[in-house]
Amino acid sequence: MASTIRIYSYNVRGLNNVIKPTELADSTVNMASGAVSLPLSLENNSAPSTKKDLIQLKEELKVELLNSFTSRVTELIQPIQAQLSELVKDLRDTSKIAENTAELALTLQDDVKTLRTSETQINNRLTSLENRWRLLNLKFRGIGEGMEEGKELTNFLATWLAGILGMEEGKTPSIVKAYKLGPLTLARKGRPQDILAQFLFPYIRDRVLKEARIQGFLTCKDAKIQVLLDLSSETLDKR
């Protein structure tokens, strides 16, 4: 009994020879006689040629897959590269801003040092001018309330100091102004307020101060009166 075996072939890309369906339909194998009839296209395709074609196809697929993968990876990387570029730009801008800020801070430090030096010089000059003005002043401590006997304060001090200095009758030291220091609560508690007097001439002030230092104090109606220099708070702190 003769059997017919139909041989089918698929059109595979990369093969040089493609078997046509008509050739496959006409190809038969006689099982009884053992004779095999193959189409001419299969007879011409030797094994080494087919293997070579498959290897070539494999290489082409590898190249195509690699190209496809590379293209896809490039598409994915491009946005990241753009973001990285923006980040690098921002970092450079930030670095430049930091450098400018550091330079500005150094400049400001120099300016602050200069201002502090100028402030110190100005304060010293003001203190010097204030002390010069204070050179005409004296403080009297211990003159109680009511000792003025209704006289104006400058007149009371001038009359009293004229007697202390032993000045001729009718002559009194020239006092520009005089006023009491400190809150009134001191007087209410029985503690007399200090009196600040400004003299017109420095030598008169010096005579009063010298007399007070010789005796240790001055006397006014049996009360001991201290005589003090009028110094600024800065000068007192340095002492």
Side-chain angles (χ1 to χ4, degrees):
M1 181 178 179
S3 299
T4 300
I5 300 177
R6 296 188 177 276
I7 301 175
Y8 298 93
S9 176
Y10 297 91
N11 186 355
V12 181
R13 186 181 61 181
L15 295 179
N16 294 327
N17 300 317
V18 180
I19 305 173
K20 297 179 181 180
T22 55
E23 294 176 343
L24 291 175
D26 295 337
S27 301
T28 57
V29 179
N30 193 329
M31 300 299 293
S33 61
V36 179
S37 176
L38 294 174
L40 182 60
S41 58
L42 281 180
E43 291 176 352
N44 294 336
N45 287 331
S46 60
S49 177
T50 303
K51 183 177 181 180
K52 181 179 179 181
D53 292 338
L54 290 174
I55 292 174
Q56 183 179 356
L57 176 61
K58 180 180 178 182
E59 294 299 326
E60 291 179 357
L61 289 174
K62 287 172 63 177
V63 172
E64 184 175 353
L65 287 173
L66 181 60
N67 292 336
S68 177
F69 177 76
T70 303
S71 177
R72 181 57 179 165
V73 170
T74 302
E75 292 177 359
L76 294 175
I77 289 177
Q78 282 179 349
I80 299 176
Q81 288 178 336
Q83 293 179 0
L84 288 175
S85 298
E86 291 294 331
L87 181 60
V88 170
K89 183 179 178 182
D90 293 341
L91 288 175
R92 288 176 179 174
D93 294 341
T94 303
S95 177
K96 187 177 295 184
I97 293 173
E99 292 178 359
N100 294 336
T101 303
E103 293 178 358
L104 180 60
L106 292 175
T107 303
L108 290 176
Q109 286 180 354
D110 294 337
D111 293 342
V112 169
K113 290 180 180 179
T114 303
L115 289 174
R116 286 179 178 174
T117 303
S118 300
E119 181 184 6
T120 302
Q121 293 175 351
I122 292 173
N123 288 335
N124 292 337
R125 189 172 301 176
L126 290 174
T127 301
S128 177
L129 292 173
E130 184 179 3
N131 287 335
R132 286 183 183 180
W133 174 78
R134 290 175 183 268
L135 288 176
L136 298 173
N137 299 344
L138 284 179
K139 284 183 182 179
F140 298 93
R141 180 172 295 171
I143 299 177
E145 296 294 327
M147 286 187 178
E148 304 95 320
E149 296 179 346
K151 296 181 181 179
E152 199 269 330
L153 192 56
T154 55
N155 293 333
F156 163 75
L157 290 175
T159 303
W160 169 57
L161 292 175
I164 295 293
L165 298 176
M167 300 179 71
E168 297 179 1
E169 186 176 355
K171 291 185 178 181
T172 58
S174 299
I175 298 177
V176 178
K177 58 184 177 180
Y179 48 88
K180 295 183 179 181
L181 303 176
L184 291 175
T185 53
L186 292 177
R188 293 170 184 171
K189 293 180 180 179
R191 297 171 56 187
Q193 296 172 280
D194 290 347
I195 295 177
L196 180 67
Q198 184 180 28
F199 294 84
L200 180 61
F201 302 108
Y203 75 92
I204 296 294
R205 189 213 75 148
D206 293 341
R207 284 184 62 186
V208 174
L209 184 61
K210 181 179 179 180
E211 190 69 23
R213 286 177 175 175
I214 292 174
Q215 300 182 19
F217 56 87
L218 299 180
T219 303
C220 180
K221 297 182 180 181
D222 298 330
K224 295 180 179 180
I225 309 301
Q226 289 181 289
V227 180
L228 306 172
L229 292 172
D230 182 27
L231 301 175
S232 64
S233 57
E234 290 80 3
T235 303
L236 291 175
D237 291 339
K238 290 179 180 179
R239 291 188 175 186

